[in-house]
């Protein structure tokens, strides 16, 4: 049996702050096969981005991976020297961020930024770098890239900038791309385009992808499997169809209920009561209990993970499985 | 770009015009040069002859127009004290100040920017704290005192370096320079350090603040996520992003130090412009004061123009706005 592309086990990334330790990621495990798309969803502040950054060893100071394994092609990345991680970043695992206005360097031309990204992993001349960059820009749907490669970021629209960022991320044909809410900052119509293009590119390259989003709707259209995160933990995971059709964790159900498509027009959107908890001094039990209608005294203890076929969840009082209609 | 240059040229003309009026009137109001020019026991006849010779009996506006016309031809009259054309006098002193200041400001930047960037890159490290301690010292200790300490230590006690003067010079483009000879360089070291310390502290602070801020941005995270080395991130990304404030301060410091290196030049008896202007103020040598102040105005106009051009080179977002 060959190892999965990525296997994360018990990952914990904590931030010591003046008011206590923020357990941004607190025991996350998941597996990703080659070419598979995993959707990582959860409200903002649930630790999705920190999970992504942990994978490439770019957790902000003073945050630190305190426990767990990140096996990429069988090799544990946790504790690898910076030099090793740098070799993997951009070449094997690439990442795209949320706000394309902030990610590209405003004072360097697109050509320069792409050249730097290429040079980071291979010896390459200016002309060849330019050719490769133009091809990469064409692939992500930038019209007449020969003419635009010498432009600067401010000369592109938000959607085009995000395409440039994606082109940079794909320069080395990585095996895994982490897309951290890449469409959240864009107009709705552009969101759909980028989503469709990413889907096609992932297929074309045979890349695996972790698609991070707070929006279940976009995740459901792109992911093979889905992992729902709450307060630093994955509370439910499984094939996207099964999880969305019959969520077992009340939090997943809550997210589904708050989707506009689920309610008929005019009806008020259901909202999960309460707010996301502070990750400092979390209660010892299930973090969702204070907001959960099904919670009782039992929930003061962290529920064990329950496995059912390809699915798993952490809940003392799971919703009953809905049979396919 | 052409439009921008024309616009700046217009502004320059207006600034120079305004300065010429201000300077002329300001200097006119200071003392009576006749008292300096003629010994108190000269006859009334000689007095009037001298007054007429310098045109000091004409109304102010006529004097100004005469001055302005001559200025356009680069003629600022003759120094009352040195009895030579002011332009020649200033040009003979300018190279000494110019080379000293250029060494000091460029040196401060070349050393200060990397130190500041390091301090901003690893703010918690011991080295960073040491660098910041040094920069506080550079800010708070008065320049004349540092100058004296430098002389006491390196010239008097250790005898390594000369205490003053320009030393041996060599000619280039028909001008004498100290930096072309070893002896001249030795003479330049202490005054250049003295001038540079404050600027060094400033460059360190500026580079550190900029680097700290930029390091936290998504731009840097994205560059790192692409696998760029820390070195490349710092040199290709961070340095470019913090360049604008650095260039601004570089230009301002270059201008103001060229104009006002008085203290250092006095302590190290460096025969530059600073000494000349102080002498001309005490002796009420009006043509020298006027020419000097006009030169300073022109200097700042030119430096500002260069800094603006540098902005456009450094930040593409400014190019379009000005095109
Ligand atoms: N640089 C940091 N310093 C301190 N705490 C942080 C930092 N980055 C993230 N965190 C903590 O991690 C939590 C999760 O952040 P994040 O992963 O960005 O959430 P999201 O799911 O919205 O991507 C935050 O709520 C915060 O408590
Ligand atoms: Mg996030």
């Amino acid at each position: 049996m060959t190892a999965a592309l990525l296997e994360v086990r018990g990952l914990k990334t904590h931030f010591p702050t003046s008011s206590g330790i923020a357990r941004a990621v607190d025991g996350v495990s998941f597996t990703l096969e080659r070419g598979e798309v995993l959707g990582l969803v959860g409200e903002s502040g649930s630790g999705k981005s920190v999970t992504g950054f942990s994978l490439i060893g770019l957790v902000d100071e003073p945050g630190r991976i305190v426990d767990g394994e990140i096996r990429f092609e069988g090799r544990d990345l946790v504790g690898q020297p910076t030099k090793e991680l740098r070799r993997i970043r951009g070449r094997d695992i690439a990442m795209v961020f949320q706000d394309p206005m902030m990610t590209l360097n405003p004072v360097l031309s697109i050509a320069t930024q792409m050249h730097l990204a290429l040079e980071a992993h291979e010896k390459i001349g200016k002309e060849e770098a330019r050719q490769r960059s133009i091809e990469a820009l064409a692939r992500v749907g930038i019209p007449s890239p020969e003419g635009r490669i010498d432009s600067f970021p401010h000369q592109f629209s938000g959607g085009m900038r995000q395409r440039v960022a994606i082109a940079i991320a794909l320069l080395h044909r990585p095996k895994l791309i982490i897309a951290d809410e890449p469409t959240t900052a864009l107009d709705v119509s552009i969101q759909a385009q980028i989503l469709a293009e990413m889907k096609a590119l992932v297929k074309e390259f045979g890349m695996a992808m972790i698609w991070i989003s707070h929006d279940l709707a976009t995740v459901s259209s792109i992911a093979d499997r889905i992992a729902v995160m709450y307060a630093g933990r994955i509370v439910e995971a499984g094939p996207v169809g099964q999880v969305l059709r019959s969520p077992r964790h009340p939090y997943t159900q809550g997210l589904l209920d708050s989707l506009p498509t689920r309610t008929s027009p005019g009806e008020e959107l259901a909202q999960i009561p309460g707010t996301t908890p502070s990750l400092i001094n979390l209660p010892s039990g299930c973090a969702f209990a204070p907001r959960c209608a099904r919670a009782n005294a039992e929930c003061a203890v962290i529920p064990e993970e329950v496995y059912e076929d390809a699915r798993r969840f952490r809940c003392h009082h799971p919703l009953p499985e809905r049979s396919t209609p | 770009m052409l439009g921008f240059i024309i616009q700046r040229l217009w502004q320059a003309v207006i600034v120079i015009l305004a300065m010429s009026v201000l300077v002329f009137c300001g200097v006119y109001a200071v003392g009576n040069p006749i008292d300096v020019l003629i010994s108190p026991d000269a006859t009334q006849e000689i007095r009037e002859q001298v007054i007429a010779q310098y045109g000091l009996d004409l109304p102010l506006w006529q004097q100004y127009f005469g001055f302005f016309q001559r200025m356009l031809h680069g003629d600022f009259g003759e120094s009352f004290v040195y009895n030579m054309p002011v332009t020649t006098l200033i040009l003979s002193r300018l190279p000494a100040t110019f080379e000293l200041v250029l060494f000091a400001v460029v040196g401060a930047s070349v050393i200060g920017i990397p130190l500041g960037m390091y301090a901003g890159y690893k703010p918690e490290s011991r080295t960073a704290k040491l660098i910041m301690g040094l920069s506080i010292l550079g800010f708070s200790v008065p320049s004349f005192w540092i100058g004296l300490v430098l002389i006491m230590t390196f010239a008097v006690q250790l005898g390594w370096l000369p205490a003053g003067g320009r030393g041996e010079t060599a000619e280039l483009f028909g001008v004498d320079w100290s930096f072309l000879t070893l002896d001249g360089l030795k003479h330049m070291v202490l005054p250049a350090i003295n001038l540079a310390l404050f600027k060094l502290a400033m460059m360190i602070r500026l580079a550190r603040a900029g680097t700290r801020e930029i390091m936290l941005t998504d731009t840097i995270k994205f560059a790192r996520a692409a696998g760029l080395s820390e070195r490349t991130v710092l040199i290709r990304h961070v340095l470019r992003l913090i360049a604008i404030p650095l260039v601004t301060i570089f230009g301002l410091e270059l201008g103001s130090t060229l104009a006002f290196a008085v203290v250092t030049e006095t302590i190290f008896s460096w025969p530059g412009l600073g000494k000349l202007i102080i002498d001309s103020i005490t002796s009420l040598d009006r043509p020298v004061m006027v020419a000097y102040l006009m030169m300073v105005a022109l200097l700042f106009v030119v430096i500002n123009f260069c800094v603006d051009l540098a902005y456009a080179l450094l930040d593409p977002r400014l190019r379009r706005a000005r095109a």
Side-chain angles (χ1 to χ4, degrees):
Chain A
M1 203 187 97
T2 52
L5 178 69
L6 178 72
E7 206 174 341
V8 178
R9 286 279 155 263
L11 179 67
K12 292 190 179 181
T13 306
H14 293 176
F15 291 87
T17 68
S18 49
S19 44
I21 295 175
R23 298 179 158 79
V25 176
D26 205 26
V28 160
S29 306
F30 61 87
T31 306
L32 198 61
E33 301 295 337
R34 279 161 215 280
E36 187 181 29
V37 177
L38 172 74
L40 192 57
V41 280
E43 286 164 300
S44 102
S46 54
K48 307 181 298 291
S49 297
V50 174
T51 305
F53 285 121
S54 299
L55 298 182
I56 54 172
L58 280 182
V59 179
D60 280 336
E61 296 273 327
R64 205 165 70 76
I65 297 179
V66 293
D67 196 17
E69 298 180 356
I70 299 167
R71 293 204 169 271
F72 183 76
E73 300 190 303
R75 183 163 69 128
D76 191 0
L77 301 186
V78 177
Q80 290 280 353
T82 327
K83 220 174 140 198
E84 277 304 304
L85 289 172
R86 193 177 75 67
R87 219 171 278 174
I88 290 169
R89 284 179 209 145
R91 200 187 58 177
D92 295 320
I93 308 180
M95 189 156 174
V96 189
F97 299 169
Q98 177 169 336
D99 193 347
M101 304 291 167
M102 315 297 288
T103 45
L104 298 174
N105 187 330
V107 302
L108 297 181
S109 72
I110 302 303
T112 307
Q113 300 191 46
M114 297 188 87
H115 192 181
L116 288 176
L118 281 166
E119 259 181 348
H121 296 293
E122 54 192 275
K123 266 214 140 17
I124 186 166
K126 212 169 169 143
E127 247 336 282
E128 197 195 340
R130 198 180 170 79
Q131 277 318 312
R132 291 256 306 270
S133 304
I134 289 173
E135 283 161 28
L137 290 174
R139 213 178 294 124
V140 295
I142 290 183
S144 58
E146 307 84 3
R148 307 215 61 185
I149 187 165
D150 292 310
S151 310
F152 290 85
H154 72 272
Q155 293 164 306
F156 289 86
S157 67
M160 282 297 160
R161 280 190 223 192
Q162 193 61 292
R163 285 189 169 91
V164 172
I166 293 168
I168 291 177
L170 296 184
L171 275 173
H172 296 280
R173 304 201 166 223
K175 293 163 186 154
L176 167 63
I177 181 163
I178 303 165
D180 188 359
E181 314 217 26
T183 61
T184 305
L186 305 175
D187 291 347
V188 181
S189 57
I190 313 275
Q191 280 188 16
Q193 284 174 24
I194 300 245
L195 191 72
E197 277 160 22
M198 285 296 270
K199 228 163 139 172
L201 285 166
V202 164
K203 203 167 220 154
E204 183 191 334
F205 283 22
M207 260 185 319
M209 174 157 79
I210 299 177
W211 181 274
I212 297 176
S213 177
H214 65 275
D215 176 13
L216 256 185
T218 62
V219 170
S220 63
S221 75
I222 197 169
D224 303 313
R225 277 190 316 127
I226 189 172
V228 181
M229 234 179 136
Y230 188 81
R233 298 198 183 98
I234 290 179
V235 293
E236 173 159 18
V240 71
Q242 286 181 35
V243 172
L244 296 188
R245 195 183 324 111
S246 167
R248 304 300 307 276
H249 199 285
Y251 178 63
T252 316
Q253 180 67 55
L255 284 180
L256 275 172
D257 289 342
S258 54
L259 281 183
T261 45
R262 286 267 167 153
T263 41
S264 21
E267 204 177 315
E268 212 174 301
L269 291 182
Q271 280 211 331
I272 305 174
T275 53
T276 35
S278 149
L279 296 176
I280 300 166
N281 309 323
L282 270 183
S284 56
C286 171
F288 186 60
R291 302 170 73 184
C292 181
R294 302 170 73 87
N296 65 9
E298 238 183 307
C299 301
V301 181
I302 287 197
E304 286 300 310
E305 228 165 358
V306 180
Y307 291 82
E308 274 179 9
D309 303 326
R311 313 186 50 174
R312 61 191 165 101
F313 51 86
R314 268 177 196 272
C315 184
H316 291 296
H317 311 290
L319 298 155
E321 190 154 11
R322 262 177 246 156
S323 49
T324 23
Chain B
M1 205 57 191
L2 193 66
F4 165 66
I5 291 175
I6 290 171
Q7 183 200 341
R8 288 321 293 260
L9 277 177
W10 254 120
Q11 284 175 12
V13 168
I14 291 168
V15 168
I16 294 291
L17 262 176
M19 264 310 279
S20 72
V21 173
L22 279 177
V23 164
F24 189 80
C25 296
V27 172
Y28 190 87
V30 180
N32 184 356
I34 292 303
D35 301 338
V36 188
L37 287 170
I38 310 166
S39 67
D41 41 74
T43 63
Q44 188 62 23
E45 212 173 318
I46 294 180
R47 267 185 95 84
E48 268 159 23
Q49 192 194 329
V50 172
I51 287 176
Q53 183 194 334
Y54 286 103
L56 296 172
D57 52 346
L58 298 172
L60 184 56
W61 66 270
Q62 268 188 14
Q63 285 190 42
Y64 172 76
F65 273 107
F67 154 76
F68 190 76
Q69 254 177 358
R70 273 173 272 127
M71 186 181 81
L72 289 185
H73 297 101
D75 175 10
F76 285 90
E78 283 206 356
S79 159
F80 295 164
V81 177
Y82 294 86
N83 286 323
M84 62 194 284
V86 171
T87 320
T88 320
L89 181 63
I90 286 186
L91 285 182
S92 74
R93 297 294 194 92
L94 187 60
T97 297
F98 187 72
E99 62 177 343
L100 178 64
V101 167
L102 204 64
F103 261 73
V105 177
V106 170
S109 309
V110 167
I111 298 170
I113 293 171
L115 286 182
M117 284 180 72
Y118 182 84
Y121 175 66
K122 284 206 184 312
E124 299 303 327
S125 70
R126 264 160 180 270
T127 320
K129 285 181 179 148
L130 191 77
I131 292 170
M132 292 326 286
L134 265 172
S135 88
I136 291 173
L137 221 65
F139 263 128
S140 41
V141 182
S143 168
F144 76 88
W145 189 80
I146 294 186
L148 293 178
V149 169
L150 285 174
I151 290 178
M152 285 297 287
T153 317
F154 294 101
V156 180
Q157 299 283 333
L158 299 169
W160 291 351
L161 293 162
R166 263 188 103 177
E168 209 180 307
T169 57
E171 203 178 286
L172 180 72
F173 306 127
V175 180
D176 287 332
W177 303 98
S178 291
F179 78 93
L180 294 172
T181 69
L182 186 65
D183 183 59
L185 275 176
K186 274 189 182 165
H187 278 79
M188 219 190 321
V189 171
L190 289 185
I193 290 179
N194 188 211
L195 267 185
L197 277 181
F198 180 81
K199 295 159 218 328
L200 180 74
M202 191 136 71
M203 283 294 178
I204 288 178
R205 298 247 138 192
L206 216 58
R208 181 184 106 115
T211 304
R212 278 197 82 161
E213 192 185 317
I214 299 293
M215 283 317 290
L216 300 176
T217 59
D218 272 3
T219 303
I220 297 309
K221 264 202 152 173
F222 187 64
R224 282 174 162 165
L228 269 61
S229 68
E230 294 298 281
R231 207 185 132 79
T232 313
V233 165
L234 281 170
I235 294 175
R236 301 299 300 273
H237 282 283
V238 178
L239 186 57
R240 279 300 307 275
L241 285 165
I242 64 173
I244 285 207
L246 293 178
V247 166
T248 311
I249 293 300
F250 180 90
L252 285 178
E253 281 300 308
L254 193 64
S256 63
T257 316
L258 276 172
F260 312 109
V262 183
V263 175
T264 300
E265 285 187 355
T266 309
I267 294 174
F268 291 92
S269 355
W270 190 263
L273 280 178
K275 247 179 103 25
L276 178 67
I277 183 63
I278 288 296
D279 291 347
S280 72
I281 289 172
T282 45
S283 59
L284 286 182
D285 196 349
R286 272 188 4 187
V288 175
M289 285 152 72
V290 169
Y292 175 79
L293 289 173
M294 287 313 296
M295 185 205 74
V296 170
L298 187 66
L299 190 72
F300 271 95
V301 166
V302 170
I303 287 179
N304 271 339
F305 180 71
C306 293
V307 166
D308 271 329
L309 280 185
Y311 282 1
L313 284 178
L314 289 170
D315 193 336
R317 289 166 294 187
L318 298 175
R319 269 172 237 169
R320 193 180 44 174
R322 281 176 182 166

